[in-house]
Amino acid sequence: MPTKTTPIRTPPSHTPYDGSSKLFTIGLKPLGPANWIEIDSHLLPYLAEKRRLYGEIPERVFVEEDGTRDAQQEVLELLAAHLLEKFPGSYRRTNAGIEAVGAANDLPSRFAGAPLAAASMLVQEDLILMRRGDNGWRLAAGSLCFPSSWSLLEKFGKPLQQIHAPVPGFGPGTRPADLINRMFDGLQGQAVERYNWSIQSGDALYHPLSNVERIDRATNRPSHFPNGDVKAHAFIRVERQTLRKLPASGDILFTIRIHLDPLAVLARHPDRATLATSFAAQLEALDPDQLDYKGLTSDRDRLISVLNHMARDG
């Protein structure tokens, strides 16, 4: 299984574990158009990792339904216009449209004519296309090179309530599941964003998990850190997610941007005491089902101990 990694950053770009974005809540907030996409100094390493994954495991990182190419093209055109205006130093026009300066954009031939694949090679975000049908909003196409413990193939073609079925409190028939459907239905011109976060061992961007693996993990509850050494191996994985309704197709584009930071970076943060205290409190508040879902049942107490130590030192 691929284990390539990307450079890490200091200090963290986003700290939703400060209490501003609590786990297992919806937490959507309005997003200004100028802030839709995030580009930073790690753009080229992210794109290189996407290119590697497209070459090695293409069927696991890209899916599309028939009839989605027009919407995919709409995504590509919206992104191109946005990137050329907002980040003129990082992008340039070409005969084919647009490219990231310094990036190798040649994808395997199987992706020729798939605009969403081309769009994905412009940005650090993963791109998921959601389409409304008789059963609600379903995953109709997607480029997912950096999954946070889920499988694109398992979610492909499924409606939102089935996609979120493994999430504690978000399964079919729950109030949060109904709220999410209504939010998708009501989304118009205003883009929105939310944050999610988790802890993982190591800094791999490609971090998938099948339903079978999730059940096995919850049953056996192993530690995911070598020798249980949280301090040395724990990375904070922050997901910045955005939702934007496409004006022509009416589909919704769901973007997911991954930020990875070693847990130890908090020790150098000027607000480390506040961040570590909030982080520890939120881990303490997770119930058994939530801990199993996050894969933290065996490691929660170790993480809290490290964070409390940081808070005292702060």
Side-chain angles (χ1 to χ4, degrees):
M1 189 59 64
T3 57
K4 292 278 187 175
T5 60
T6 191
I8 58 177
R9 67 191 69 245
T10 296
S13 299
H14 300 289
T15 57
Y17 37 85
D18 60 6
S20 59
S21 297
K22 294 183 178 180
L23 295 175
F24 301 100
T25 60
I26 298 172
L28 289 174
K29 300 174 183 178
L31 174 65
N35 299 319
W36 177 32
I37 298 297
E38 291 187 339
I39 298 298
D40 62 23
S41 60
H42 299 306
L43 173 64
L44 296 184
Y46 272 62
L47 296 185
E49 177 67 347
K50 284 188 176 186
R51 184 170 176 269
R52 184 185 72 84
L53 292 166
Y54 272 127
E56 294 183 7
I57 50 170
E59 70 286 349
R60 299 186 192 180
V61 297
F62 187 83
V63 295
E64 61 176 339
E65 288 183 0
D66 291 340
T68 60
R69 289 285 175 93
D70 286 347
Q72 293 183 40
Q73 182 65 30
E74 186 179 5
V75 171
L76 178 57
E77 291 173 2
L78 284 172
L79 269 178
H82 175 80
L83 296 172
L84 287 167
E85 178 180 356
K86 182 74 184 293
F87 307 103
S90 298
Y91 297 92
R92 61 189 171 207
R93 296 186 185 277
T94 68
N95 291 335
I98 179 178
E99 67 180 10
V101 176
N105 294 311
D106 54 316
L107 285 175
S109 59
R110 66 183 292 164
F111 298 110
L116 197 65
S120 75
M121 289 304 299
L122 296 174
V123 293
Q124 288 157 269
E125 282 83 354
D126 282 322
L127 307 174
I128 304 294
L129 197 64
M130 304 296 294
R131 176 162 289 183
R132 190 71 163 86
D134 293 339
N135 295 323
W137 293 89
R138 71 183 184 277
L139 198 166
S143 168
L144 184 75
C145 292
F146 309 141
S148 296
S149 298
W150 62 287
S151 164
L152 181 62
L153 285 175
E154 288 183 351
K155 307 298 184 183
F156 180 42
K158 292 183 177 179
L160 279 171
Q161 295 208 13
Q162 290 185 35
I163 288 174
H164 291 143
V167 184
F170 281 74
T174 62
R175 183 173 181 273
D178 291 339
L179 280 174
I180 292 172
N181 273 308
R182 290 203 295 271
M183 288 175 181
F184 269 63
D185 285 338
L187 192 64
Q188 298 301 324
Q190 175 67 62
V192 294
E193 70 173 347
R194 71 180 295 271
Y195 288 86
N196 193 14
W197 53 271
S198 57
I199 303 288
Q200 69 179 55
S201 177
D203 61 347
L205 282 166
Y206 181 74
H207 198 263
L209 191 69
S210 70
N211 287 337
V212 171
E213 290 169 328
R214 186 180 299 283
I215 293 170
D216 179 70
R217 186 175 71 174
T219 300
N220 296 311
R221 298 177 175 175
S223 172
H224 299 285
F225 302 96
N227 302 316
D229 191 347
V230 167
K231 190 172 183 179
H233 300 285
F235 277 72
I236 307 168
R237 187 181 184 98
V238 171
E239 298 174 65
R240 177 183 181 261
Q241 305 171 356
T242 78
L243 292 168
R244 177 175 179 175
K245 190 168 187 177
L246 303 178
S249 65
D251 293 342
I252 289 176
L253 178 66
F254 175 42
T255 76
I256 311 165
R257 169 65 194 281
I258 300 300
H259 295 271
L260 277 174
D261 298 291
L263 182 65
V265 79
L266 292 187
R268 301 191 297 273
H269 198 285
D271 296 324
R272 60 187 174 275
T274 300
L275 289 174
T277 298
S278 174
F279 206 143
Q282 292 187 67
L283 291 174
E284 183 70 41
L286 295 178
D287 66 32
D289 289 340
Q290 293 169 336
L291 284 170
D292 279 344
Y293 180 80
K294 287 291 186 180
L296 294 174
T297 302
S298 296
D299 299 305
R300 190 256 301 267
D301 290 346
R302 294 187 186 95
L303 285 163
I304 289 175
S305 176
V306 170
L307 290 164
N308 285 337
H309 189 270
M310 284 185 191
R312 288 192 300 270
D313 287 350

